[in-house]
Amino acid sequence: MNTAKPKWLKTVASLTMIATLTVPILAACNKGSGADDKTERVLRIATQYYGEEDEYFRQQFTEIFEYNNPNIKIEIVSAMNPDQYRYGGRPEGEKREDPNEKMKEIINGPNPPDVILMNYDQLPDLISGNMLKQLDTDITKDKFDLSDVVPAVIDGIKSLGDGKLFALAPTFSSQVLLYNKKPFDDAGVQYPKDGMTWDEMFDLARRVSKGEGENRVYGFSFNQYSYGSKENLFYEMGTYSAPLQLRMFSDNAEKMTVDSDGWEKVWNTMIQLSKEKIFPEPVDYSKMDAVRRAAMDSGEYNPFQNNTFMNGKLAMTIGQQYSINELIRANKSAASIKGYTPIDWDIVTMPTHPEAKDVGGNVYLNGLMGINAKAQNPADAWKFIKFINGEDWARLKSKSVNQLVSRAKYIQPREGMQYNIKAFYSLKPVPMENEMSKLYRQYQNIGQVNSMGMQYFKKAIEGTSTVREALKEWQTAGDAALKQMKENPDAPINVMPGGGKTMAIPMG
């Protein structure tokens, strides 16, 4: 788990005060559960990095529960020790630890935790290893209503458990298609709508793209800060290709799998859109810096001048909750922002592929938690999970502007505004590739095999080779790089073009 806290997790400073005001209401829901509530007990929660003294984790998940259940003591157990690597990195010669394996050691240890807080990519491995208790029986017994938990969350979790629930997540973040209405009005083109395919969205992007040079309005970009570089496009097009579940290498990382019709189609699509100037074009960053400095010196600095969507030069882009919040704040403060024009906007669901018509964009499940199959206190573990995923907690957390609660009832547009909030939760997340996740954890340099493809993508987009020729070269060079990686997993992979061919250079 990344030790950096996501943006949406940072606005929790006032939670304790809110908890004090809301606890009487929440406590009333817990009355009458029997004399057992007076028995002192311990509930152990395993996390990847949060430790016993982590203030954020306790504010986010445990303080209100402990207040309502004073007889239950929460103990937080961390699988990894972030302090070990925070100062100076991993000790020289020490083998890289797999966070998943460290978590499994704790789960199966002599003093097993009761609740497991995990990442989405860990869930398949824990389910297949029979390390999590199925929650369906408790859900049915307690008549715990999950009918309003959004598809992006409930279907995403069920998809990893063969239709069964082994975990729940109280909050999530996802992607939407964010659009500026003005370019569509100017071109006399209908606005985007929910349920579009990628091809339909790209067709709209072509129809609203117009103008030249600094006056051009572009149809679409995967990132509102993207300026059309080949490097950016190579990585960002993963949003388009991920639902197709195209793989770069085989399950065992023995061979590359990029020399295929599927990858050829993806690259051809991206390159054609780039040639048509649907995506923002590359800019001269040194010139951009000079313009920014001049604007700051003259007092005319626009903080959004490098943001192609916020400066009105982009019709559609990928949006998240935090980018919507920024847009709302900017529109409210437009009078005090030099050079900024308020944007009339809305959102729709992410485009989808016909092959996966209900799957769109990345969905991140926050606070995903399950019960250890070897839990010493499974009753309180379920009590805790039920509370954190219940309506009272959702009602409280729905006041946050940086996260979305999993219950649709409490997902509302901000500040009484009218926009298509359902776009955030109507689609299912991209299915998890368990084998691929294992490989990325097992081989720390496997990402370099991915990154090396960028040089071949550049050759294709610049026209010095055909798309299929570039993919074949990547396939050959990647096979050599994977072989090197297998022989020496900790050594960096070094690849370079030579004499028109690409070769993997073994490291000293």
Side-chain angles (χ1 to χ4, degrees):
M1 178 183 290
N2 193 325
T3 56
K5 295 180 174 62
K7 293 181 179 179
W8 65 268
L9 299 178
K10 295 180 179 178
T11 56
V12 296
S14 62
L15 183 56
T16 303
M17 182 179 295
I18 296 173
T20 302
L21 297 174
T22 58
V23 158
I25 298 174
L26 300 178
C29 299
N30 290 313
K31 289 181 179 180
S33 55
D36 188 58
D37 282 348
K38 298 179 181 179
T39 305
E40 291 191 0
R41 303 184 296 277
V42 173
L43 180 67
R44 305 186 80 235
I45 302 176
T47 74
Q48 205 74 69
Y49 289 102
Y50 296 120
E52 180 67 24
E53 298 179 356
D54 192 280
E55 182 178 4
Y56 160 74
F57 182 82
R58 288 192 176 276
Q59 286 181 336
Q60 182 73 4
F61 293 113
T62 68
E63 283 186 347
I64 301 177
F65 180 82
E66 288 181 287
Y67 191 100
N68 286 332
N69 300 273
N71 57 309
I72 300 177
K73 178 185 177 183
I74 299 288
E75 289 184 1
I76 303 171
V77 184
S78 176
M80 304 291 288
N81 178 11
D83 291 333
Q84 182 179 355
Y85 305 109
R86 183 171 297 164
Y87 309 107
R90 188 168 73 251
E92 185 176 354
E94 182 175 312
K95 186 178 179 181
R96 180 174 178 265
E97 294 179 328
D98 183 339
N100 277 27
E101 294 303 317
K102 295 295 291 183
M103 176 64 82
K104 287 191 282 189
E105 286 179 16
I106 291 179
I107 291 174
N108 295 310
N111 188 15
D114 304 298
V115 176
I116 311 299
L117 190 82
M118 69 202 89
N119 289 334
Y120 187 58
D121 64 354
Q122 291 176 296
L123 186 54
D125 201 22
L126 297 181
I127 292 174
S128 63
N130 298 315
M131 298 180 199
L132 294 176
K133 177 186 177 184
Q134 187 179 328
L135 302 180
D136 299 84
T137 301
D138 287 322
I139 291 170
T140 302
K141 182 186 66 176
D142 289 359
K143 297 180 180 179
F144 186 53
D145 186 12
L146 296 175
S147 60
D148 69 330
V149 176
V150 301
V153 172
I154 202 73
D155 291 344
I157 297 173
K158 283 184 175 181
S159 69
L160 301 184
D162 194 25
K164 302 177 179 65
L165 284 171
F166 289 87
L168 290 172
T171 61
F172 73 102
S173 56
S174 62
Q175 296 176 314
V176 293
L177 184 68
L178 170 64
Y179 67 93
N180 182 346
K181 293 181 181 180
K182 187 176 186 302
F184 293 89
D185 293 337
D186 291 345
V189 175
Q190 65 181 9
Y191 297 145
K193 60 183 181 181
D194 288 339
M196 289 190 303
T197 65
W198 280 100
D199 286 343
E200 288 172 337
M201 188 276 288
F202 289 145
D203 181 60
L204 285 183
R206 289 185 174 96
R207 295 169 64 189
V208 297
S209 296
K210 64 178 183 177
E212 297 295 334
E214 294 182 359
N215 295 321
R216 184 165 180 80
V217 173
Y218 298 94
F220 173 75
S221 176
F222 290 101
N223 187 327
Q224 56 188 303
Y225 287 95
S226 172
Y227 286 90
S229 72
K230 302 173 184 68
E231 290 84 354
N232 282 351
L233 183 56
F234 174 75
Y235 293 109
E236 291 171 350
M237 67 181 177
T239 301
Y240 171 80
S241 63
L244 297 171
Q245 296 191 278
L246 297 175
R247 294 185 173 185
M248 293 182 182
F249 31 77
S250 60
D251 284 353
N252 56 11
E254 295 287 347
K255 299 286 292 183
M256 296 290 291
T257 59
V258 295
D259 182 12
S260 70
D261 293 344
W263 278 113
E264 183 178 19
K265 181 180 178 181
V266 169
W267 279 28
N268 274 326
T269 299
M270 295 298 108
I271 290 172
Q272 181 60 35
L273 289 165
S274 180
K275 288 179 178 179
E276 295 178 43
K277 299 182 180 179
I278 306 304
F279 301 137
E281 298 173 87
V283 298
D284 185 337
Y285 282 95
S286 60
K287 180 180 177 180
M288 186 189 303
D289 288 340
V291 171
R292 184 175 66 249
R293 286 195 297 270
M296 293 178 70
D297 291 342
S298 65
E300 298 295 321
Y301 177 65
N302 176 357
F304 302 119
Q305 66 184 26
N306 297 338
N307 185 318
T308 48
F309 186 82
M310 299 289 280
N311 65 27
K313 301 294 185 181
L314 183 61
M316 295 179 286
T317 188
I318 305 300
Q320 298 85 17
Q321 180 73 355
Y322 68 83
S323 56
I324 301 300
N325 292 337
E326 181 179 54
L327 183 52
I328 292 172
R329 288 194 299 267
N331 279 353
K332 289 178 64 176
S333 305
S336 61
I337 303 175
K338 298 285 187 180
Y340 177 73
T341 301
I343 293 174
D344 188 8
W345 60 276
D346 207 336
I347 56 177
V348 295
T349 56
M350 284 286 291
T352 61
H353 295 281
E355 304 93 317
K357 60 182 180 180
D358 57 350
V359 175
N362 296 310
V363 177
Y364 304 93
L365 303 185
N366 306 313
L368 184 66
M369 56 187 71
I371 299 175
N372 186 0
K374 297 182 179 179
Q376 302 173 84
N377 187 0
D380 285 334
W382 168 240
K383 186 176 185 178
F384 175 78
I385 290 176
K386 186 169 66 170
F387 176 81
I388 297 299
N389 289 275
E391 286 205 23
D392 289 319
W393 196 91
R395 186 184 302 113
L396 171 64
K397 279 298 180 180
S398 66
K399 307 303 180 184
S400 170
V401 299
N402 289 314
Q403 57 184 305
L404 295 169
V405 295
S406 297
R407 292 183 175 271
K409 183 189 305 183
Y410 301 106
I411 303 176
Q412 301 293 331
R414 285 190 55 194
E415 302 176 18
M417 299 178 63
Q418 296 295 320
Y419 56 91
N420 183 21
I421 192 72
K422 290 183 178 180
F424 273 110
Y425 59 81
S426 298
L427 297 177
K428 298 178 184 178
V430 175
M432 177 61 58
E433 288 282 356
N434 191 28
E435 294 303 319
M436 294 298 101
S437 296
K438 287 182 180 179
L439 290 175
Y440 276 95
R441 294 194 304 269
Q442 183 178 359
Y443 299 105
Q444 62 177 332
N445 294 320
I446 199 169
Q448 295 179 38
V449 183
N450 176 359
S451 298
M452 63 188 284
M454 191 264 291
Q455 62 182 312
Y456 305 106
F457 182 74
K458 287 178 68 175
K459 292 176 67 174
I461 201 171
E462 291 168 356
T464 58
S465 70
T466 68
V467 165
R468 199 56 180 250
E469 288 170 348
L471 288 168
K472 286 181 183 295
E473 287 190 61
W474 185 16
Q475 175 94 18
T476 301
D479 286 347
L482 289 173
K483 184 175 183 293
Q484 174 193 328
M485 180 191 72
K486 290 264 190 172
E487 292 172 350
N488 191 350
D490 293 326
I493 295 172
N494 190 355
V495 292
M496 59 179 293
K501 298 181 180 180
T502 302
M503 59 187 71
I505 308 299
M507 299 298 291

